[in-house]
Amino acid sequence: RHAVCIFYLVLRALDTIEDDMTISLDVKVPMLHEFHSYLYQPEWKYMESKEKDRQVLEDFPTISMEFRNLSKVYQDVISDICHKMGVGMAEFLEKKVDSQHEWDKYCHYVAGLVGIGLSRLFSASELEDPVVGQDTELANSMGLFLQKTNIIRDYLEDQLEGREFWPREVWSRYAKKLSDLAKPENIDMAVQCLNELITNALHHVPDVLTYLSRLKNQSVFNFCAIPQVMAIATLAACYNNKQVFRGVVKIRKGQAVTLMMDATNIQAVKAIMYQYVEEIYQKIPSTDPSSNKTQQVIASIRAMSLPGGPMASRHHYSPIYLSCAMLLAALSWQYLSTISKATEEYVQAGEN
């Protein structure tokens, strides 16, 4: 838990530098390349940031001290991932995401590496088998599925911020400029582009299910599974939905709490995935250019997640435990909603 907490704070600091548009490229690029070395410099901090999360940079000596107090096996993982991510972030500061291959590459740098790093921490702690940390392809897919979902959902927000993460190779078949997809007269083409990107993201689901099936520790399983079921629910809400280009598409709070409560074992997660890909399948327009590809990827997910397995959780929880868990989930969702609202207000005034 401590290692994961420090890992998060270190990457939050790195991401804050990447996001800060007030830092010139000639300063930012070397900082991103060298950021991993700051973990071993007790006095290093950065006081010039204007970002909302600047506290992690201003108080970085506190974070780096706790980092150096971790076991070396954890330090090595965090430092290595931080180095690779910094180099990748710097690469994409000076170029846009063009091909689908580059989309995968960008998502690898900012999210796939997080999945790989966490998986290595799980194995290093011996809570999970070595294979979890060694199979980087599956761990990478865990991150890519979440990141692509966020990028797809956040089209309008990113447009308002002046950022573009949808791959040109895809959107250029539907519009001359990515911003044109938000124009009412282009809504039909925009939705077709959206559906193609969602189909692309769905290809990661079989890897997600394979990854989750290997986990043995209940806390690790919940930690990994909950974001994944939130993502599939979000994609189902976004699929063929014009609202993506008009505002924010969110899953309902009650739906989110139910997902948190249910995603406690692999059979339950498979059933959830099955439910949401069926929801997508029912919405596939016969005229959609990606309809065949969408049907094919859904067929492969169905094959892995057919209902029929035991739905009971790995442990039998008492009613009082379930009540406490439901309360905790509700409070967590309320907190996340508050953070989300604050982020939206920040965007209007001015961040998977």
Side-chain angles (χ1 to χ4, degrees):
R1 183 177 59 187
H2 200 175
V4 170
C5 174
I6 299 304
F7 187 33
Y8 169 79
L9 290 173
V10 168
L11 297 188
R12 171 54 61 203
L14 179 65
D15 191 52
T16 301
I17 289 175
E18 184 207 21
D19 284 345
D20 195 332
M21 306 306 285
T22 67
I23 306 174
S24 62
L25 285 182
D26 60 335
V27 173
K28 186 185 290 191
V29 170
M31 283 180 73
L32 292 174
H33 278 275
E34 299 299 321
F35 196 84
H36 67 289
S37 68
Y38 303 152
L39 293 167
Y40 297 97
Q41 298 176 30
E43 304 303 320
W44 188 89
K45 58 185 174 182
Y46 186 72
M47 306 299 291
E48 312 301 319
S49 178
K50 304 296 188 292
E51 285 291 294
K52 65 184 186 303
D53 293 327
R54 60 185 176 273
Q55 185 183 354
V56 290
L57 294 172
E58 295 171 352
D59 292 344
F60 198 76
T62 304
I63 297 170
S64 66
M65 179 183 68
E66 293 295 341
F67 165 82
R68 292 188 300 276
N69 286 336
L70 294 173
S71 300
K72 186 178 184 300
V73 67
Y74 295 143
Q75 289 186 38
D76 290 346
V77 171
I78 294 171
S79 176
D80 180 50
I81 296 298
C82 187
H83 185 196
K84 290 173 178 173
M85 187 178 291
V87 170
M89 285 176 166
E91 178 184 334
F92 278 92
L93 279 179
E94 301 182 87
K95 71 176 183 182
K96 291 188 175 181
V97 179
D98 283 327
S99 66
Q100 293 184 66
H101 172 73
E102 283 186 335
W103 198 37
D104 282 0
K105 192 176 182 183
Y106 172 76
C107 291
H108 163 74
Y109 284 141
V110 301
L113 283 171
V114 181
I116 291 168
L118 285 169
S119 300
R120 287 168 62 185
L121 293 178
F122 299 152
S123 294
S125 70
E126 298 185 356
L127 291 172
E128 297 295 345
D129 291 338
V131 68
V132 172
Q134 292 165 357
D135 196 333
T136 56
E137 189 172 338
L138 292 189
N140 187 59
S141 283
M142 293 283 285
L144 263 61
F145 186 58
L146 301 182
Q147 186 66 21
K148 287 182 178 182
T149 298
N150 290 340
I151 287 173
I152 291 166
R153 179 199 62 200
D154 293 342
Y155 165 84
L156 196 60
E157 181 179 312
D158 287 335
Q159 281 293 303
L160 294 173
E161 284 193 55
R163 297 178 181 174
E164 297 187 351
F165 297 111
W166 284 26
R168 177 187 294 271
E169 180 185 343
V170 176
W171 65 253
S172 62
R173 293 199 293 271
Y174 301 93
K176 289 183 179 179
K177 294 186 298 182
L178 183 56
S179 57
D180 288 346
L181 294 178
K183 295 178 179 178
E185 63 268 26
N186 297 330
I187 193 62
D188 291 340
M189 296 295 278
V191 169
Q192 290 178 4
C193 181
L194 168 71
N195 291 348
E196 182 172 344
L197 290 180
I198 290 176
T199 301
N200 175 297
L202 289 174
H203 281 89
H204 298 293
V205 173
D207 278 357
V208 167
L209 292 174
T210 302
Y211 180 97
L212 293 174
S213 70
R214 290 177 174 171
L215 300 179
K216 296 179 177 179
N217 181 274
Q218 186 69 59
S219 294
V220 171
F221 186 90
N222 294 355
F223 179 77
C224 294
I226 289 172
Q228 302 295 331
V229 296
M230 294 287 195
I232 191 70
T234 299
L235 289 184
C238 289
Y239 185 81
N240 211 49
N241 188 348
K242 298 175 182 179
Q243 189 60 27
V244 172
F245 303 95
R246 297 169 178 165
V248 182
V249 175
K250 292 182 178 179
I251 59 175
R252 301 184 313 278
K253 292 181 182 180
Q255 187 180 0
V257 171
T258 300
L259 290 170
M260 290 179 188
M261 293 295 298
D262 289 349
T264 57
N265 63 83
I266 189 60
Q267 292 302 332
V269 170
K270 285 181 176 182
I272 292 167
M273 292 288 189
Y274 187 92
Q275 171 193 338
Y276 284 110
V277 296
E278 282 301 304
E279 187 177 311
I280 292 171
Y281 184 82
Q282 296 301 323
K283 294 195 288 187
I284 299 174
S286 58
T287 56
D288 191 273
S290 303
S291 60
N292 288 338
K293 288 183 179 178
T294 311
Q295 290 168 357
Q296 287 170 9
V297 69
I298 286 177
S300 67
I301 297 169
R302 278 175 175 160
M304 290 188 71
S305 56
L306 283 171
M311 286 295 295
S313 188
R314 297 177 185 187
H315 306 288
H316 296 286
Y317 298 123
S318 66
I320 187 67
Y321 178 92
L322 288 174
S323 298
C324 291
M326 180 65 86
L327 178 60
L328 178 60
L331 290 172
S332 299
W333 182 250
Q334 184 179 33
Y335 171 76
L336 290 170
S337 298
T338 303
I339 294 297
S340 176
K341 183 179 179 183
T343 302
E344 288 171 17
E345 289 171 354
Y346 174 80
V347 168
Q348 290 168 1
E351 164 188 76
N352 243 242

